[in-house]
């Protein structure tokens, strides 16, 4: 599978899956939320995905998270999958992957996957940061409507309890991201050459 990046030329809207209202406006070098608030409010690591990865893949500098947000217009909830990747080991780059360090300039792209399995979106947002520790790609796939919060959001917020239920958002993003994992890494490495 091959990933292709197209620079965001002017602006691109990421829209609510329920009412089609823009929830994020993507410019070539920044993003803005039309409501002036957050478009994503909570998330958790996609633990089941890491269980499918090889031991070397589990040590790569990456972080995959299911994030939940909501539309300021219709009030419906939705979720996205984000994957932040850098070259190197997780232990060395985790502060960047968790946005706890200055990331530097950003460029926004729309990514598409040639030969992708069914269910992979036609395109998704990739933000490229030029950190002082190297290039970082953050893939944002979705949003998809969050019809049932049970099993996704609990009393402590968004949490994955490790069990996958068919059709559940955790299962959906695990199934979606696993076949893209190697291509995401290759694209990051190619961009740095």
């Amino acid at each position: 599978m091959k990933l292709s990046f197209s620079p965001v030329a002017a602006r691109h809207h990421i829209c609510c899956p329920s009412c089609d209202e823009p929830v994020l406006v993507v410019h070539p070098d920044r993003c803005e939320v039309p409501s002036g608030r957050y478009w994503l409010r909570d998330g958790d690591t996609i633990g089941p995905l890491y269980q499918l990865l090889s031991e070397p893949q589990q040590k790569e500098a990456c972080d995959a998270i299911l994030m939940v947000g909501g539309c300021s217009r219709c009030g419906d909830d939705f979720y996205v999958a984000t994957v932040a990747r850098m070259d190197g080991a997780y232990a060395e780059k985790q502060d960047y992957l968790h946005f706890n360090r200055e990331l530097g300039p950003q460029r926004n792209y729309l990514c598409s996957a040639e030969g992708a399995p069914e269910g992979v979106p036609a395109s998704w947002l990739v933000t490229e940061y030029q950190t002082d520790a190297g290039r970082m790609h953050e893939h944002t796939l979705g949003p998809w409507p969050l019809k049932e919060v049970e099993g996704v959001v609990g009393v402590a917020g968004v949490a994955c309890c490790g069990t996958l239920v068919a059709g559940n958002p955790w299962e959906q993003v695990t199934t979606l991201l696993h076949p893209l994992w190697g291509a995401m890494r290759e694209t990051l490495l190619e961009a740095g050459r």
Side-chain angles (χ1 to χ4, degrees), residues 38-49:
Y38 294 105
W39 77 293
L40 300 171
R41 61 180 179 269
D42 193 14
D44 193 20
T45 299
I46 306 168
L49 172 64

Side-chain angles (χ1 to χ4, degrees), residues 42-124:
D42 193 14
D44 193 20
T45 299
I46 306 168
L49 172 64
Y50 288 93
Q51 294 170 7
L52 299 176
L53 301 177
S54 68
E55 191 173 327
Q57 287 176 319
Q58 291 174 2
K59 294 177 181 173
E60 293 173 355
C62 58
D63 192 30
I65 300 175
L66 184 145
M67 299 286 298
V68 172
C71 179
S72 62
R73 178 178 179 201
C74 71
D76 283 1
D77 287 334
F78 52 77
Y79 64 100
V80 302
T82 67
V83 177
R85 295 198 70 117
M86 295 181 78
D87 188 23
Y90 175 81
E92 299 166 359
K93 309 282 177 94
Q94 64 183 321
D95 286 344
Y96 295 97
L97 298 168
H98 296 289
F99 297 85
N100 292 326
R101 294 285 303 265
E102 178 61 40
L103 298 179
Q106 75 179 71
R107 296 292 305 163
N108 292 312
Y109 299 89
L110 294 180
C111 181
S112 60
E114 184 180 312
E118 187 177 328
V120 172
S123 67
W124 63 88

Side-chain angles (χ1 to χ4, degrees), residues 170-181:
W170 298 105
E171 187 267 342
Q172 188 240 339
V173 297
T174 297
T175 302
L176 176 82
L177 293 175
H178 187 248
L180 294 172
W181 203 255

